[in-house]
Amino acid sequence: MSSSDAGPVTQIEFAALMERLGPFESDPEVAVAVSGGADSLAAALLVHEWARRRGGRAIGLIVDHGLRDESADEAALVAQRLSKLNIKPLVLQWHGEKPSANVQAEARQARYQLLSDCCARNGVLHLVLGHHRDDQAETFMMRLSRGSGLYGLAAMSAVQEQADCRILRPLLTLPKRRLLETLHARGIEYVEDPSNQNRNYARIRFRDLLTSLAAEGLPASRLAETSRRLGRARSATDVVVAAALARAVSLHPSGVAFLEPRILMTLPRDVALRCLARTLATVSGSDYGPRMERLEKLLEKILGGLTLGVTLSGCRLVPWRQILVICRENRPLPQIPLVAGCLTRWDGRFDVLLAQNLEVPAGQFTIGALGPEGWAQIRKEIDPISSGFPPLAGEAALAIRKAGEIVSAPHLGYFRRGLSPEKIVKCRFRPGNSLSGVAFTVA
């Protein structure tokens, strides 16, 4: 066992890990997602000590998922423990209907949304997660079982640039055992989520598998190192993909992408696949692209000369005037009420803000997709350039309605009945994944 695999994590060591993920502002304020388990509690403690020495502070964000009757009490206990460590706790509650299937994935998505929204409200630029080397090895194995390629097997990036904050994983090179030793050295108690013992979840079964693999001479450290090396290759590929996207794809403010198949044909196969995956994730607002086998089949169709529209990963892809139009899939999307002066996020892709002084009854304005009927209604009233917009893309565009009647399709230049552009303070396409993205960061 090397010295790096034993003993509590020192302040000097953690400072070096954070330095790789910087730069940071002076007096940094850093949020830490805290479940109360050893990993996240150790992360909160280390970030707290690191930020305090720089005149800043850590904030512990605790998500009460409401999936178990005792979850509220557990969240309160975690908040109490953070307070004893002089770390400010904030409990975030997951309201609304809970999923009956795919529970872990749905809960994870809801948790990240709550954490991101909280960072945005509080102006916090950095969100630390407690993922460690063993988690990285688990992720590698799970993705290997699904037949993932380079991008999937690189596993988790040490830095993810999100619309509202930077997600940081400074502990990816450290084994879980050292986080436990860090807490034990300070006499800090922690709790474990009972779901971590539930073998109905795939991650728990892979966790058990890693124990067996270690006994056969394939420890988590070696798997994580393999993932790290693949991460370096992914980071280099990201640079090439970004340059290719700049040539092959253009984005309209309505969230529609226009892809040049002729340029796609000139790219190495893996670069073309990555360009396609990144474009689909940006247009759909998804956190991840489609499975590789589906992506490969789609690329084959495009390179063979796509003549009919297809759907994948929440997107529609339709040939139009020698280019490929990629827009949101034509399916029912929510109509969400707008309140003057309040920022509203729609479909995970758009931010909309009506002027504060717009005097209308609450809920009278709504936001949703323009749809086929809406597009047919406005296309004759907008300028010639926009009226030549691909019909399917026009139908997917954002529309603002008043009492059910379309009063604006701002990205197509349509305004009616006194709703001028000045009254829409913000109407911006802001997907979770930008088109070019940020190169994969290796810890």
Side-chain angles (χ1 to χ4, degrees), residues 175-380:
K176 180 183 180 73
R177 138 175 90 253
R178 294 199 61 198
L179 305 182
L180 295 172
E181 291 173 357
T182 300
L183 297 179
H184 291 157
R186 291 167 170 79
I188 297 173
E189 296 180 349
Y190 57 89
V191 296
E192 289 292 353
D193 189 332
S195 65
N196 287 336
Q197 306 300 322
N198 188 345
R199 300 194 84 257
N200 289 326
Y201 297 132
R203 181 170 288 276
I204 307 307
R205 296 194 298 273
F206 275 96
R207 190 168 298 168
D208 293 342
L209 176 61
L210 286 176
T211 302
S212 301
L213 290 174
E216 297 296 330
L218 185 58
S221 59
R222 187 161 303 168
L223 295 172
E225 181 58 27
T226 299
S227 179
R228 185 172 183 270
R229 290 168 179 159
L230 291 171
R232 290 200 299 264
R234 173 177 173 172
S235 182
T237 303
D238 279 341
V239 176
V240 179
V241 170
L245 281 166
R247 295 172 50 223
V249 180
S250 60
L251 270 178
H252 190 271
S254 64
V256 175
F258 300 100
L259 185 148
E260 296 274 0
R262 289 171 295 182
I263 296 178
L264 212 61
M265 292 176 185
T266 67
L267 301 174
R269 177 62 61 93
D270 200 55
V271 174
L273 285 167
R274 289 299 114 207
C275 287
L276 194 53
R278 174 63 74 171
T279 304
L280 292 174
T282 299
V283 172
S284 68
S286 302
D287 291 331
Y288 305 100
R291 294 280 180 91
M292 181 55 70
E293 58 268 23
R294 295 179 181 177
L295 196 63
E296 289 173 333
K297 290 179 181 178
L298 175 60
L299 181 61
E300 287 295 335
K301 291 180 180 179
I302 294 173
L303 298 182
L306 190 65
T307 57
L308 298 175
V310 295
T311 61
L312 182 64
S313 194
C315 295
R316 301 179 76 183
L317 300 90
V318 182
W320 183 75
R321 298 181 182 178
Q322 298 185 322
I323 63 174
L324 196 61
V325 177
I326 305 178
C327 61
R328 195 74 163 89
E329 188 176 359
N330 189 15
R331 61 179 178 80
L333 293 172
Q335 291 281 337
I336 298 179
L338 291 172
V339 178
C342 295
L343 184 69
T344 299
R345 187 151 176 82
W346 179 71
D347 195 32
R349 302 181 300 143
F350 290 93
D351 285 340
V352 182
L353 179 62
L354 297 182
Q356 178 73 46
N357 59 358
L358 193 62
E359 297 180 359
V360 293
Q364 188 173 23
F365 279 102
T366 61
I367 180 175
L370 189 58
E373 294 182 2
W375 170 250
Q377 176 185 328
I378 74 164
R379 64 181 304 178
K380 297 179 181 179

